[in-house]
Amino acid sequence: MRPGIHPASRPVVFRDRAAGTALLTRSTAVSERTVEWEDGATYPVIDVEISSASHPFYTGTSRVLDTEGRVERFERRYGRTAPARG
């Protein structure tokens, strides 16, 4: 890699506001806000709306929609319509 063209990577805390969890990782993201981490050091913090801790796909709370039979159920309720004449 060429020196001097890449942004500096530093420890950053990403905090999921919905789940109340936080993750310390390395990132190039910049934030003026800081938080004291479990090790006693202060790191920049970036609040995120959703993460793997609160996303329904990862938590197992996602709903599986029943798509089988939807058309048939609709046709049973409302009947078939006449083909369009044109």
Side-chain angles (χ1 to χ4, degrees), residues 50-63:
I50 196 162
S51 71
S52 62
S54 61
H55 193 281
F57 178 79
Y58 293 107
T59 59
T61 58
S62 62
R63 295 183 346 198

Side-chain angles (χ1 to χ4, degrees), residues 6-12 25-29:
H6 301 285
S9 175
R10 63 186 86 51
V12 176
T25 187
R26 296 191 62 82
S27 177
T28 58

Side-chain angles (χ1 to χ4, degrees), residues 49-86:
E49 296 293 324
I50 196 162
S51 71
S52 62
S54 61
H55 193 281
F57 178 79
Y58 293 107
T59 59
T61 58
S62 62
R63 295 183 346 198
V64 176
L65 295 177
D66 175 31
T67 57
E68 185 178 344
R70 284 187 169 189
V71 173
E72 290 81 10
R73 191 168 49 233
F74 178 84
E75 288 176 352
R76 262 197 328 266
R77 279 188 192 160
Y78 303 105
R80 287 189 159 244
T81 59
R85 293 184 182 186

Side-chain angles (χ1 to χ4, degrees), residues 3-27:
I5 63 168
H6 301 285
S9 175
R10 63 186 86 51
V12 176
V13 174
F14 286 93
R15 182 170 48 190
D16 183 350
R17 302 300 283 179
T21 60
L23 171 71
L24 176 64
T25 187
R26 296 191 62 82
S27 177

Side-chain angles (χ1 to χ4, degrees), residues 23-47:
L23 171 71
L24 176 64
T25 187
R26 296 191 62 82
S27 177
T28 58
V30 180
S31 175
E32 298 296 324
R33 298 174 32 187
T34 60
V35 67
E36 186 173 331
W37 191 244
E38 300 161 353
D39 62 2
T42 302
Y43 298 105
V45 64
I46 297 177
D47 291 324

